[in-house]
Amino acid sequence: MILHLNKLVNTDILNEIKKKYDAFHFSENEIEVVITSSSVKEVDTKFEKFVKEKFLFDSDIQLASLNYKQKREINIGGKIIGGNTNNCIIITGPCSVESEQQIEKVSKFISRLNIHTLRGGCYKPRTSPYTFQGMELDGLKLLKNAKNKYGFSIITEVRDSTHVNDVIEHADIIQIGAKAMYDHGILKACAKTKKTVMIKRGFGTTLQEFVQAAEFILSGGNPNVILCERGIRTFETKTRFTLDLCGVAYLKHHTNLPIIIDPSHALGYAYGIEDLSKACIAMGVDGLIIETHPNPSVAKSDAKQQLNFEQFEKLHKSISNIANAIGVNII
Amino acid sequence: MILHLNKLVNTDILNEIKKKYDAFHFSENEIEVVITSSSVKEVDTKFEKFVKEKFLFDSDIQLASLNYKQKREINIGGKIIGGNTNNCIIITGPCSVESEQQIEKVSKFISRLNIHTLRGGCYKPRTSPYTFQGMELDGLKLLKNAKNKYGFSIITEVRDSTHVNDVIEHADIIQIGAKAMYDHGILKACAKTKKTVMIKRGFGTTLQEFVQAAEFILSGGNPNVILCERGIRTFETKTRFTLDLCGVAYLKHHTNLPIIIDPSHALGYAYGIEDLSKACIAMGVDGLIIETHPNPSVAKSDAKQQLNFEQFEKLHKSISNIANAIGVNII
Amino acid sequence: MILHLNKLVNTDILNEIKKKYDAFHFSENEIEVVITSSSVKEVDTKFEKFVKEKFLFDSDIQLASLNYKQKREINIGGKIIGGNTNNCIIITGPCSVESEQQIEKVSKFISRLNIHTLRGGCYKPRTSPYTFQGMELDGLKLLKNAKNKYGFSIITEVRDSTHVNDVIEHADIIQIGAKAMYDHGILKACAKTKKTVMIKRGFGTTLQEFVQAAEFILSGGNPNVILCERGIRTFETKTRFTLDLCGVAYLKHHTNLPIIIDPSHALGYAYGIEDLSKACIAMGVDGLIIETHPNPSVAKSDAKQQLNFEQFEKLHKSISNIANAIGVNII
Amino acid sequence: MILHLNKLVNTDILNEIKKKYDAFHFSENEIEVVITSSSVKEVDTKFEKFVKEKFLFDSDIQLASLNYKQKREINIGGKIIGGNTNNCIIITGPCSVESEQQIEKVSKFISRLNIHTLRGGCYKPRTSPYTFQGMELDGLKLLKNAKNKYGFSIITEVRDSTHVNDVIEHADIIQIGAKAMYDHGILKACAKTKKTVMIKRGFGTTLQEFVQAAEFILSGGNPNVILCERGIRTFETKTRFTLDLCGVAYLKHHTNLPIIIDPSHALGYAYGIEDLSKACIAMGVDGLIIETHPNPSVAKSDAKQQLNFEQFEKLHKSISNIANAIGVNII
């Protein structure tokens, strides 16, 4: 249950309500927003006079529900996605930040294509200890330099809560990776900032759990949450994962959060990334995040799925063409 | 291994080769095509002089492989898909054939939209014995009447081998359903006809097994096979199945068979069928098969996922718009 | 809804009830059993006087439900499983019937171990056309010979409805394979006989659908149905399938059908079949079906998972030991 | 590749090797153990003289491989599992630590059954922010009190790296939960202690990734790692998860780590926990972890799957009976 209380509600009353219902609370505009478990269906009569509006839900998808509010607008470095913008943000860059030269090459390339948002992993959540684990803080600094030089927004992944504050400090969009999205330490830290957070769906995660991860952040008072579908793990092994566009259709029709899609991790091979990107654009998603590398064959991670510049440029033209046809603005 | 033998090869030699390698054989144009297990990598020296061309494969995806031949063209009632046509066939109609009036309403509607291919299930592969099982032969006759009146091609599903010959006789496209696609009785009957066969991927079926089902038909000498992706079963329960567009990307880049997509069964709900259809069109598939019903709420099967006429017409306009932008012809 | 009608109910009334509710019907002992969809919750007042007993269900698991009747006893060649017998039947033999010598070797071996039920596939539901497809009718005859010589009950798989009558004629237990279990042609043929039918769960099949396949047979009047769990398809690829013992626990506690487990197909490798068999016996299942071959390395199908005689004999001792400890009779 | 170097190897050489191969290193007994990526197959000739023994592997399952060393023994509060002990440890207690009284009741109960290892969650990795999140440090203290009073070993879950040091300090066995097992922050902290760590398999985690999580800890020099299978997420929804005993068979035959099974989370319902526990014991696992609560119906988490004392005592007798029959010692 979400309650909108009058701004003038007395602090003691507010605390009493929070305590009684074990509730979350934040202030937004002229409203005190109180959120209880969805199993709470009624508010005590003595509190009723403070309630301006009340929202009931079948499940703990509450603040993220389209029944609560219309699709949210999210500001990314001065560019807006979501709401009624019809904007689609293109995010690209290498799987891992590997060197200054690599980031410079990618930056120059995407800058030429008028792309404003650079990705690059610094803390890599590898499943083996015996592989490249990322440049960590040094990588963050390389991204920061690119941001300063080219005016990019930068997005990078937080792997665990030991370095979440470093990522919050340096990134414009904090990416919570598929393997970290249940991590309360990360979710709670992201709930306390106002920076934009992109949560990737775990490959074994239901849509219900995925949106509930967003509720951890929203209920702390940070409204700037984006969902990212990147493929789920199924029985099929010819492809790395299975991109769940049925799930994206569900999210579009039931939640108020913008949705970005990562076809690179889903397919795991460069050959079909353009096809999948065209599909996503046509479907009306709010963004794409695609891996590009100056020379994928020598990449320190995800070598098979990263596009070279020629492949990416071809993809970029294709999706721009479709975007034009359906009134979507590529940003 | 596929061998192309000289047309003039002696029958005794041909039989000797077939026997030695436990091989399949059919004649195509001026070639005798012999197919062995993919584990056979060499042909006996005494047969070599009869071999015009030899094709080796890593797995039993052979006749369907893009390494064997370029994308096949398939003729559906005078309309061609596949090859370099850039054609995309739209197939629609109700889940189940329910009555003459129902088929007449649908026929009139789709005819007005210039759609030429009507679907309708007569032998329903229901998982419970206590639900509607289809009109069977009476249903086939209603489809046949619609074909005669409106000039449609008709497609209907074969449920098991007891009625496969009835379906082969009456339908223009024989649909092998997701639950029947391992059925040797059906596959072998379809291998003996030249009618077009659309195989739906089982919801628990790997891409390898899916294409191998096509090999049963192709190796019997029927080259007219279409693949249909209709969603696989995963852990996600908010949607009925999970449409596997990564799998479709794989099939496009590795096989020579046209691909039709069924978003209706994948999602299981009407709300997102348009979104998914737009995605598929943009991706460049060879066709869409979508469930439409004059009044979905009273449908005898799949009530939640069938579109009403208004919804379908809106979808049809959307996909036509995208098709125009990318040079695809909706047929 | 299941209705037990008085044996003396007039045929016209019975037909009227069947027509009104689109119901199934069979006679059992002194009762007329009528089964409607589970969505039917009430019977018309004019029929009430004929109703001795009425059973309501949440889903179309009805005749198979433990809420309808206690665990069924099934007779297999004079040996009983199910009910309160605490019997556990051991079924073994090769994946495929390959030759007279092979069947003779296996028969002599299992006869020495006092095993009475021989398995062997004659119609192999291979997923590639380019592999061994089984000896078909010739194989059935070899099994029949072994039955006659050693007094075995024999079980073999029906692949599709083209040969279901041959299997019904020759086998003591008709096995409906994992890939054929939705096949209405087979299910309906099995509903008309009284022979015992073992349905294997499809690898993509839910427990609900699995038990509903049994309802097709039960509702036709054949009460002799056994369920067989043989592994479901999951994301894990180190093993061939994933044996679903949680599912078996569900079936034991919710249905009245005996359950046999096939660890061979689940794991797909010989090394752990003994471990899994011990687990199943301890759990209290009604039978095990395990693949054994005189020389697995040259087997024409499933070479990796078949046990040689030494391995099987060791397994047999281990499970007998556990069976003794928990009061289970190995038969 | 694992290298065993002579204890007397010069530190400079050791560092040179580590740097060249980006290797891990720890000292064990009289050996310097160096571990590189499994893709490294050869050691430079100049280092060869320092190498006593060399082990090559197909994948990054190295220190955990049965090809590296025989099954490890792990000491849990003076009791040993693994190796050739044939010991099976029983761990039980509530899902969540809820109050002093609750822990006291459970402690008295399990103490009477001669069980020495108490579980209880303090940091609950709930998927919704609007449910009970655990007593955190207060809960740890209640467990510590029970340990002091009853002489238990205690096991509790670490949810994220913000409190990993608290758990390491207070628990005898650190449980890394299914949702946290990719967390490098936790894995690295556990690699630095010598306390026993039990890693639960993520519900979307492959066996390869699962064992590689153990490699993070082992390669840091902590040899005390236990694997815990607790069910994977599949398409089946009648049960909460699917217990993967095929996977357990794989782990037993390919790794050197003891394996504990959690049937409670796998099934998600109390009714079949005894059946599954019997199966696991018979299969020869190294331990069971089962949820027990004084009054499951009022439990703050996992109410459906926790056993009451009567159910647990019945289970305990059943498994003891099977254990006796097969020479396993319940500890």
Side-chain angles (χ1 to χ4, degrees), chain A residues 23-62:
Chain A
F24 286 74
H25 159 251
F26 58 84
S27 305
E28 197 175 53
N29 307 323
E30 293 304 299
I31 300 160
E32 300 296 334
V33 182
V34 169
I35 316 105
T36 73
S37 162
S38 60
S39 62
V40 179
K41 301 295 184 192
E42 283 184 7
V43 66
D44 200 291
T45 47
K46 74 175 171 178
F47 301 131
E48 272 181 359
K49 61 181 162 223
F50 305 105
V51 177
K52 284 177 63 178
E53 216 169 350
K54 196 174 83 170
F55 305 84
L56 294 177
F57 302 92
D58 290 338
S59 79
D60 279 356
I61 298 180
Q62 301 190 104

Side-chain angles (χ1 to χ4, degrees), chain A residues 24 37 60 62 126-130 133 159-161 182-185 203-204 209 212 215-216 233, chain D residues 24 37 60 62 124 126-130 133 159-161 182-185 203-204 209 212 215-216 233:
Chain A
F24 286 74
S37 162
D60 279 356
Q62 301 190 104
R126 305 306 294 274
T127 58
S128 165
Y130 312 122
Q133 309 284 309
R159 185 173 59 199
D160 59 66
S161 32
Y182 295 109
D183 186 320
H184 288 208
F203 39 72
E209 290 174 358
Q212 285 179 182
E215 294 278 336
F216 275 89
R233 190 165 264 171
Chain D
F24 287 75
S37 163
D60 278 356
Q62 301 190 106
K124 301 303 299 173
R126 306 306 293 274
T127 58
S128 165
Y130 311 124
Q133 310 283 309
R159 184 173 59 200
D160 60 64
S161 33
Y182 296 108
D183 186 320
H184 289 208
F203 39 73
E209 290 173 359
Q212 284 179 182
E215 294 278 337
F216 275 90
R233 191 164 263 171

Side-chain angles (χ1 to χ4, degrees), chain D residues 48-279:
Chain D
E48 272 182 358
K49 61 180 162 221
F50 305 105
V51 177
K52 283 179 63 179
E53 214 169 350
K54 196 173 83 169
F55 305 85
L56 294 177
F57 302 92
D58 291 337
S59 80
D60 278 356
I61 298 181
Q62 301 190 106
L63 291 164
S65 171
L66 206 51
N67 291 331
Y68 173 54
K69 62 163 65 180
Q70 285 306 298
K71 194 170 172 186
R72 292 164 187 267
E73 286 192 356
I74 309 276
N75 186 322
I76 299 173
K79 313 216 165 265
I80 311 288
I81 60 169
N84 296 314
T85 61
N86 273 338
N87 289 343
C88 179
I89 193 166
I90 306 300
I91 305 171
T92 194
C95 177
S96 297
V97 176
E98 295 173 7
S99 69
E100 190 176 349
Q101 299 87 322
Q102 177 220 33
I103 293 301
E104 173 58 21
K105 279 186 193 166
V106 168
S107 297
K108 194 180 286 183
F109 169 66
I110 69 173
S111 190
R112 178 166 68 75
L113 295 183
N114 214 19
I115 288 173
H116 309 284
T117 317
L118 175 68
R119 64 151 287 150
C122 302
Y123 301 89
K124 301 303 299 173
R126 306 306 293 274
T127 58
S128 165
Y130 311 124
T131 54
F132 178 63
Q133 310 283 309
M135 290 183 71
E136 310 208 335
L137 200 53
D138 291 340
L140 281 184
K141 287 172 186 165
L142 292 179
L143 289 178
K144 198 83 180 220
N145 292 344
K147 173 187 167 74
N148 292 338
K149 182 167 175 189
Y150 290 96
F152 296 145
S153 294
I154 61 175
I155 175 168
T156 199
E157 179 171 0
V158 54
R159 184 173 59 200
D160 60 64
S161 33
T162 57
H163 54 262
V164 62
N165 290 328
D166 286 338
V167 173
I168 291 174
E169 184 188 336
H170 290 88
D172 298 290
I173 310 173
I174 301 135
Q175 176 182 324
I176 305 180
K179 292 178 192 127
M181 58 142 277
Y182 296 108
D183 186 320
H184 289 208
I186 295 173
L187 293 170
K188 285 173 187 165
C190 290
K192 285 183 202 144
T193 177
K194 295 285 181 195
K195 278 207 173 170
T196 296
V197 181
M198 184 181 83
I199 309 176
K200 281 195 157 185
R201 181 183 184 186
F203 39 73
T205 298
T206 61
L207 294 167
Q208 181 77 32
E209 290 173 359
F210 183 26
V211 184
Q212 284 179 182
E215 294 278 337
F216 275 90
I217 299 172
L218 297 169
S219 63
N222 181 358
N224 300 307
V225 182
I226 300 169
L227 301 176
C228 178
E229 160 64 26
R230 45 75 73 208
I232 57 173
R233 191 164 263 171
T234 69
F235 62 79
E236 183 52 56
T237 58
K238 293 277 190 199
T239 60
R240 192 175 181 192
F241 292 98
T242 300
L243 189 65
D244 183 11
L245 294 190
C246 286
V248 172
Y250 174 85
L251 295 170
K252 273 186 66 175
H253 289 82
H254 295 86
T255 81
N256 57 39
L257 303 174
I259 301 157
I260 287 179
I261 299 186
D262 173 354
S264 301
H265 282 85
L267 184 59
Y269 297 94
Y271 68 77
I273 306 301
E274 184 180 330
D275 276 343
L276 292 171
S277 299
K278 290 192 284 186

Side-chain angles (χ1 to χ4, degrees), chain C residues 73-231:
Chain C
E73 286 192 355
I74 309 276
N75 186 322
I76 298 173
K79 312 216 166 268
I80 311 287
I81 60 169
N84 296 314
T85 60
N86 274 337
N87 289 342
C88 179
I89 193 165
I90 306 301
I91 305 171
T92 194
C95 178
S96 297
V97 175
E98 295 173 6
S99 69
E100 190 176 349
Q101 297 86 324
Q102 176 219 34
I103 292 301
E104 174 58 21
K105 278 187 194 166
V106 168
S107 296
K108 195 181 284 182
F109 169 65
I110 69 173
S111 190
R112 177 166 69 74
L113 295 183
N114 214 20
I115 287 173
H116 309 284
T117 317
L118 174 68
R119 64 149 287 149
C122 302
Y123 300 89
K124 301 303 300 173
R126 307 304 295 274
T127 59
S128 165
Y130 311 124
T131 53
F132 177 63
Q133 310 282 309
M135 291 183 71
E136 310 209 334
L137 200 54
D138 290 341
L140 280 185
K141 287 172 187 165
L142 293 179
L143 289 178
K144 198 84 180 221
N145 292 345
K147 172 188 168 72
N148 291 338
K149 180 166 175 190
Y150 290 95
F152 296 145
S153 295
I154 60 176
I155 176 169
T156 199
E157 179 171 1
V158 53
R159 185 174 59 200
D160 59 64
S161 31
T162 58
H163 53 262
V164 62
N165 290 328
D166 286 339
V167 173
I168 291 175
E169 184 188 337
H170 290 87
D172 298 291
I173 309 172
I174 301 135
Q175 176 182 323
I176 304 180
K179 292 177 192 129
M181 58 143 277
Y182 295 109
D183 186 320
H184 288 209
I186 296 173
L187 293 169
K188 285 173 188 164
C190 290
K192 285 182 201 143
T193 176
K194 295 286 180 193
K195 279 205 172 170
T196 295
V197 180
M198 184 181 84
I199 309 176
K200 282 195 156 183
R201 180 183 184 186
F203 39 71
T205 298
T206 62
L207 294 167
Q208 181 77 31
E209 291 174 357
F210 183 25
V211 184
Q212 285 178 182
E215 294 278 337
F216 275 89
I217 298 172
L218 297 169
S219 63
N222 181 357
N224 300 307
V225 181
I226 299 168
L227 300 175
C228 177
E229 160 64 26
R230 44 75 75 209

Side-chain angles (χ1 to χ4, degrees), chain B residues 24 37 60 62 124 126-130 133 159-161 182-185 203-204 209 212 215-216 233, chain C residues 24 37 60 62 126-130 133 159-161 182-185 203-204 209 212 215-216 233:
Chain B
F24 286 74
S37 162
D60 279 356
Q62 301 189 104
K124 301 302 299 173
R126 307 304 294 276
T127 59
S128 165
Y130 311 123
Q133 309 284 309
R159 186 174 58 200
D160 59 66
S161 31
Y182 296 109
D183 186 321
H184 288 208
F203 39 73
E209 290 174 357
Q212 286 179 181
E215 294 278 336
F216 274 89
R233 191 165 262 169
Chain C
F24 286 75
S37 162
D60 279 356
Q62 302 190 105
R126 307 304 295 274
T127 59
S128 165
Y130 311 124
Q133 310 282 309
R159 185 174 59 200
D160 59 64
S161 31
Y182 295 109
D183 186 320
H184 288 209
F203 39 71
E209 291 174 357
Q212 285 178 182
E215 294 278 337
F216 275 89
R233 191 165 263 170

